[in-house]
Amino acid sequence: MNQKTKGDKETIGRVAVYPGSFDPLTYGHIDIVERALDIFDKVILAIAHETSDASKRSLFTVEERIEMAKEVFEHLPNVIVDSFKGLLVNYVGETNARVILRGLRATSDFEYEFHMASMNRSLNIHLDTMFMMTSKDYFFVSSRSIKEVSALGGAVEGLVPNLIARRLKEKFKLPLTKEKQIGWEY
Ligand code: PNS
């Protein structure tokens, strides 16, 4: 891990780690990152090898998720795409960031997020979790629903970047040109 790329001493306190599965990255996540850049000097998008939810199997490998995220954020030099294994607080401790950033879509997210933020703070009192409300355009978008809609042949363009919509189609072996619309139109 390169300490220098993740937030040096001068930017301490102005670096946020935005952790998640990002399986795949959606415009909801991208919106959070872009808004966070108005507040923080640097945002580290930290892609988890494993999540707290053991039942959750990822569709994309960590390498694929990193590759896609790097492509999506290549025009934003203050966004660092990285991955982590094990405890999030240990990873954040290595970056010099003090803030864990998470997006909140609805009250249904709150219990899980409150639990996770409280656990992380009990593990490291020097870290705080900050929440940003997902913008109204994306509050219904989740990686899980994107995968489900895409697996069933629905269109996810407009909810994820085109390069990710394309990768989803490849995963689910859907035709790349003519969209199939099953049960979901917009
Ligand atoms: O996008 P997700 O799946 O909601 O992200 C959850 C994530 C990856 C942030 C969370 O599962 C996590 O931090 N996993 C690392 C393991 C860890 O630190 N667990 C203790 C927190 S309760």
Side-chain angles (χ1 to χ4, degrees):
M1 262 174 272
N2 182 352
Q3 205 74 352
K4 197 83 184 134
T5 58
K6 286 191 187 169
D8 47 31
K9 295 262 189 253
E10 295 86 68
T11 54
I12 203 164
R14 282 180 282 141
V15 181
V17 171
Y18 181 25
S21 308
F22 305 112
D23 182 40
L25 199 66
T26 70
Y27 274 132
H29 299 129
I30 295 165
D31 172 63
I32 296 282
V33 170
E34 287 175 346
R35 284 160 53 209
L37 286 175
D38 286 339
I39 302 166
F40 298 98
D41 296 320
K42 208 171 264 185
V43 174
I44 301 170
L45 189 95
I47 303 177
H49 279 252
E50 63 268 315
T51 73
S52 312
D53 183 352
S55 65
K56 227 160 119 177
R57 254 196 71 237
S58 62
L59 174 67
F60 291 99
T61 65
V62 173
E63 291 72 25
E64 288 171 324
R65 284 178 271 155
I66 292 172
E67 190 193 320
M68 290 187 282
K70 283 194 169 160
E71 217 172 317
V72 167
F73 292 116
E74 68 181 346
H75 65 295
L76 295 174
N78 293 344
V79 178
I80 312 292
V81 176
D82 198 10
S83 65
F84 72 100
K85 277 186 178 156
L87 280 180
L88 173 64
V89 290
N90 292 347
Y91 171 78
V92 179
E94 288 169 12
T95 65
N96 288 341
R98 278 209 50 237
V99 172
I100 296 169
L101 178 68
R102 293 282 289 173
L104 266 185
R105 280 167 307 199
T107 48
S108 51
D109 283 345
F110 180 78
E111 203 173 326
Y112 169 62
E113 294 296 337
F114 181 67
H115 169 261
M116 207 156 60
S118 307
M119 177 58 85
N120 285 335
R121 191 150 167 81
S122 96
L123 291 169
N124 185 340
I125 193 74
H126 302 294
L127 301 182
D128 259 299
T129 302
M130 289 181 63
F131 296 98
M132 288 181 80
M133 295 306 299
T134 300
S135 107
K136 64 174 174 35
D137 297 333
Y138 304 119
F139 75 92
F140 60 95
V141 178
S142 67
S143 297
R144 181 199 289 243
S145 61
I146 290 292
K147 283 181 281 196
E148 185 174 330
V149 168
S150 190
L152 296 172
V156 292
E157 283 80 0
L159 305 177
V160 297
N162 286 343
L163 75 98
I164 291 179
R166 213 167 42 241
R167 296 290 285 262
L168 281 160
K169 284 193 185 113
E170 284 164 13
K171 275 276 174 206
F172 295 122
K173 307 224 177 337
L174 294 166
L176 289 173
T177 44
K178 193 167 178 297
E179 316 293 347
K180 273 198 281 171
Q181 299 280 334
I182 299 180
W184 200 63
E185 289 186 20
Y186 62 101

Coordinates of all heavy atoms in Angstrom, one line a residue, residues 42-77:
K42 N -9.6 14.7 -0.7 CA -9.4 13.4 -1.3 C -10.4 12.4 -0.8 O -10.8 12.4 0.4 CB -8.0 12.9 -0.9 CG -7.3 12.0 -1.9 CD -5.8 11.8 -1.5 CE -4.9 12.8 -2.2 NZ -3.5 12.5 -1.9
V43 N -10.9 11.6 -1.7 CA -11.8 10.5 -1.3 C -11.2 9.2 -1.8 O -10.8 9.0 -3.0 CB -13.2 10.7 -2.0 CG1 -14.1 9.5 -1.7 CG2 -13.9 12.0 -1.5
I44 N -11.1 8.3 -0.8 CA -10.6 7.0 -1.2 C -11.8 6.0 -1.3 O -12.5 5.8 -0.3 CB -9.6 6.4 -0.1 CG1 -8.4 7.4 0.1 CG2 -9.1 5.1 -0.4 CD1 -7.5 7.1 1.3
L45 N -12.0 5.5 -2.4 CA -13.0 4.5 -2.6 C -12.4 3.2 -2.3 O -11.6 2.7 -3.0 CB -13.5 4.6 -4.1 CG -14.7 3.7 -4.4 CD1 -16.0 4.6 -4.3 CD2 -14.7 3.0 -5.7
A46 N -12.8 2.6 -1.2 CA -12.2 1.4 -0.7 C -13.1 0.2 -0.9 O -14.2 0.1 -0.3 CB -11.9 1.6 0.8
I47 N -12.7 -0.6 -1.8 CA -13.6 -1.8 -2.2 C -13.3 -3.0 -1.4 O -12.1 -3.4 -1.3 CB -13.4 -2.1 -3.7 CG1 -13.7 -0.8 -4.6 CG2 -14.2 -3.3 -4.2 CD1 -13.4 -1.0 -6.1
A48 N -14.3 -3.5 -0.7 CA -14.1 -4.6 0.3 C -14.0 -5.9 -0.4 O -14.7 -6.2 -1.3 CB -15.3 -4.6 1.3
H49 N -13.0 -6.7 0.0 CA -12.9 -8.1 -0.4 C -14.0 -8.9 0.2 O -14.6 -9.7 -0.5 CB -11.5 -8.7 0.0 CG -10.4 -8.3 -0.9 ND1 -9.8 -9.2 -1.8 CD2 -9.8 -7.1 -1.1 CE1 -8.9 -8.5 -2.4 NE2 -8.8 -7.3 -2.0
E50 N -14.3 -8.6 1.4 CA -15.5 -9.3 2.0 C -16.3 -8.3 2.8 O -15.8 -7.3 3.3 CB -15.0 -10.5 2.9 CG -14.2 -10.1 4.2 CD -12.7 -10.1 3.9 OE1 -12.2 -11.1 3.3 OE2 -12.0 -9.2 4.3
T51 N -17.6 -8.6 2.9 CA -18.5 -7.7 3.7 C -18.9 -8.4 5.0 O -18.6 -9.5 5.2 CB -19.8 -7.4 2.9 OG1 -20.6 -8.5 2.9 CG2 -19.5 -7.0 1.5
S52 N -19.6 -7.6 5.8 CA -20.0 -8.1 7.1 C -21.2 -9.1 6.9 O -21.5 -9.9 7.8 CB -20.6 -6.9 8.0 OG -19.6 -5.9 8.0
D53 N -21.8 -9.0 5.7 CA -22.9 -10.0 5.4 C -22.3 -11.2 4.7 O -22.1 -11.2 3.5 CB -23.9 -9.2 4.5 CG -25.1 -10.1 4.2 OD1 -25.1 -11.3 4.6 OD2 -26.1 -9.6 3.6
A54 N -22.1 -12.3 5.5 CA -21.5 -13.5 4.9 C -22.3 -14.1 3.8 O -21.7 -14.8 3.0 CB -21.3 -14.5 6.1
S55 N -23.6 -13.9 3.8 CA -24.5 -14.5 2.8 C -24.3 -13.8 1.4 O -24.8 -14.3 0.4 CB -25.9 -14.4 3.2 OG -26.3 -13.1 3.2
K56 N -23.6 -12.7 1.4 CA -23.5 -11.9 0.2 C -22.4 -12.3 -0.7 O -21.2 -12.2 -0.3 CB -23.3 -10.4 0.6 CG -24.1 -9.4 -0.1 CD -24.2 -8.1 0.6 CE -23.7 -7.0 -0.2 NZ -23.8 -5.7 0.5
R57 N -22.7 -12.9 -1.8 CA -21.6 -13.3 -2.8 C -21.5 -12.3 -3.9 O -22.5 -11.9 -4.4 CB -21.9 -14.7 -3.4 CG -21.0 -15.8 -2.8 CD -21.1 -17.1 -3.6 NE -20.4 -16.9 -4.9 CZ -20.9 -17.1 -6.1 NH1 -22.2 -17.4 -6.2 NH2 -20.2 -17.0 -7.2
S58 N -20.3 -11.8 -4.2 CA -20.2 -10.8 -5.2 C -20.3 -11.3 -6.6 O -20.0 -12.4 -6.9 CB -18.9 -10.0 -5.0 OG -17.8 -10.8 -5.2
L59 N -20.9 -10.5 -7.4 CA -21.0 -10.8 -8.9 C -19.7 -10.6 -9.6 O -19.2 -11.4 -10.3 CB -22.1 -10.0 -9.5 CG -22.3 -10.1 -11.0 CD1 -22.8 -11.5 -11.4 CD2 -23.3 -9.1 -11.6
F60 N -19.1 -9.4 -9.3 CA -17.8 -9.1 -9.9 C -16.7 -9.4 -8.9 O -16.8 -9.1 -7.7 CB -17.8 -7.6 -10.3 CG -18.7 -7.2 -11.4 CD1 -20.0 -6.7 -11.1 CD2 -18.4 -7.4 -12.7 CE1 -20.9 -6.3 -12.1 CE2 -19.3 -7.1 -13.7 CZ -20.5 -6.6 -13.5
T61 N -15.6 -9.8 -9.4 CA -14.4 -10.0 -8.6 C -13.9 -8.6 -8.1 O -14.2 -7.6 -8.7 CB -13.3 -10.7 -9.3 OG1 -12.8 -9.8 -10.4 CG2 -13.7 -12.0 -9.9
V62 N -13.1 -8.6 -7.1 CA -12.5 -7.4 -6.6 C -11.7 -6.7 -7.7 O -11.8 -5.5 -7.9 CB -11.6 -7.6 -5.3 CG1 -10.9 -6.3 -5.0 CG2 -12.5 -8.1 -4.2
E63 N -11.0 -7.5 -8.4 CA -10.2 -6.9 -9.5 C -11.1 -6.3 -10.6 O -10.8 -5.2 -11.1 CB -9.4 -8.1 -10.2 CG -8.2 -8.6 -9.4 CD -8.7 -9.5 -8.2 OE1 -9.9 -10.1 -8.3 OE2 -8.0 -9.7 -7.2
E64 N -12.2 -6.9 -10.9 CA -13.1 -6.3 -11.9 C -13.7 -5.0 -11.3 O -13.9 -4.0 -12.0 CB -14.3 -7.3 -12.2 CG -13.8 -8.5 -13.0 CD -14.9 -9.5 -13.2 OE1 -15.7 -9.8 -12.2 OE2 -14.9 -10.2 -14.3
R65 N -14.1 -5.0 -10.0 CA -14.7 -3.8 -9.4 C -13.7 -2.7 -9.4 O -14.0 -1.5 -9.6 CB -15.2 -4.1 -8.0 CG -16.5 -4.9 -8.1 CD -17.0 -5.3 -6.7 NE -16.5 -6.5 -6.2 CZ -16.3 -6.9 -4.9 NH1 -16.7 -6.0 -4.0 NH2 -15.9 -8.1 -4.6
I66 N -12.4 -3.0 -9.1 CA -11.4 -2.0 -9.1 C -11.2 -1.4 -10.5 O -11.2 -0.2 -10.7 CB -10.0 -2.6 -8.6 CG1 -10.1 -2.9 -7.1 CG2 -8.9 -1.6 -8.8 CD1 -8.9 -3.7 -6.6
E67 N -11.1 -2.3 -11.5 CA -10.9 -1.9 -12.9 C -12.0 -0.9 -13.3 O -11.8 0.1 -13.9 CB -10.9 -3.1 -13.7 CG -10.5 -2.9 -15.1 CD -10.8 -4.2 -16.0 OE1 -10.6 -5.3 -15.5 OE2 -11.3 -4.0 -17.1
M68 N -13.3 -1.3 -13.0 CA -14.4 -0.5 -13.4 C -14.4 0.9 -12.7 O -14.6 1.9 -13.3 CB -15.7 -1.2 -13.1 CG -16.0 -2.4 -14.0 SD -17.6 -3.1 -13.8 CE -17.4 -4.1 -12.3
A69 N -14.1 0.8 -11.4 CA -14.1 2.1 -10.6 C -13.0 3.0 -11.1 O -13.2 4.2 -11.2 CB -13.9 1.8 -9.1
K70 N -11.8 2.4 -11.4 CA -10.7 3.3 -11.9 C -11.1 4.0 -13.2 O -10.8 5.1 -13.5 CB -9.5 2.5 -12.1 CG -8.8 2.2 -10.8 CD -7.4 1.6 -11.0 CE -6.7 1.6 -9.7 NZ -5.5 0.7 -9.6
E71 N -11.8 3.2 -14.1 CA -12.3 3.8 -15.3 C -13.3 4.9 -15.1 O -13.2 6.0 -15.7 CB -12.9 2.7 -16.2 CG -12.6 2.8 -17.7 CD -13.0 1.6 -18.5 OE1 -12.8 0.5 -18.0 OE2 -13.6 1.9 -19.6
V72 N -14.2 4.7 -14.2 CA -15.3 5.7 -13.9 C -14.7 7.0 -13.4 O -15.1 8.1 -13.7 CB -16.3 5.1 -12.9 CG1 -17.2 6.2 -12.4 CG2 -17.1 4.0 -13.6
F73 N -13.7 6.8 -12.5 CA -13.1 8.0 -11.8 C -11.8 8.5 -12.4 O -11.1 9.3 -11.8 CB -13.0 7.7 -10.3 CG -14.3 7.5 -9.6 CD1 -14.6 6.3 -9.0 CD2 -15.2 8.6 -9.5 CE1 -15.8 6.1 -8.3 CE2 -16.4 8.4 -8.8 CZ -16.7 7.2 -8.3
E74 N -11.5 8.0 -13.6 CA -10.2 8.4 -14.1 C -10.0 9.9 -14.3 O -8.9 10.5 -14.3 CB -9.8 7.6 -15.4 CG -10.6 7.9 -16.6 CD -10.2 7.1 -17.8 OE1 -9.1 6.4 -17.7 OE2 -10.9 7.0 -18.8
H75 N -11.2 10.6 -14.5 CA -11.1 12.1 -14.7 C -11.0 12.9 -13.4 O -10.9 14.1 -13.4 CB -12.3 12.6 -15.5 CG -13.6 12.4 -14.8 ND1 -14.1 11.1 -14.5 CD2 -14.5 13.2 -14.3 CE1 -15.2 11.2 -13.8 NE2 -15.5 12.5 -13.7
L76 N -11.1 12.1 -12.3 CA -11.1 12.8 -11.0 C -9.8 12.4 -10.2 O -9.8 11.4 -9.5 CB -12.3 12.5 -10.2 CG -13.7 13.0 -10.7 CD1 -14.8 12.4 -9.9 CD2 -13.7 14.5 -10.7
P77 N -8.7 13.2 -10.3 CA -7.5 12.8 -9.7 C -7.5 12.7 -8.2 O -6.7 12.0 -7.6 CB -6.5 13.8 -10.1 CG -7.3 15.0 -10.6 CD -8.6 14.4 -11.1

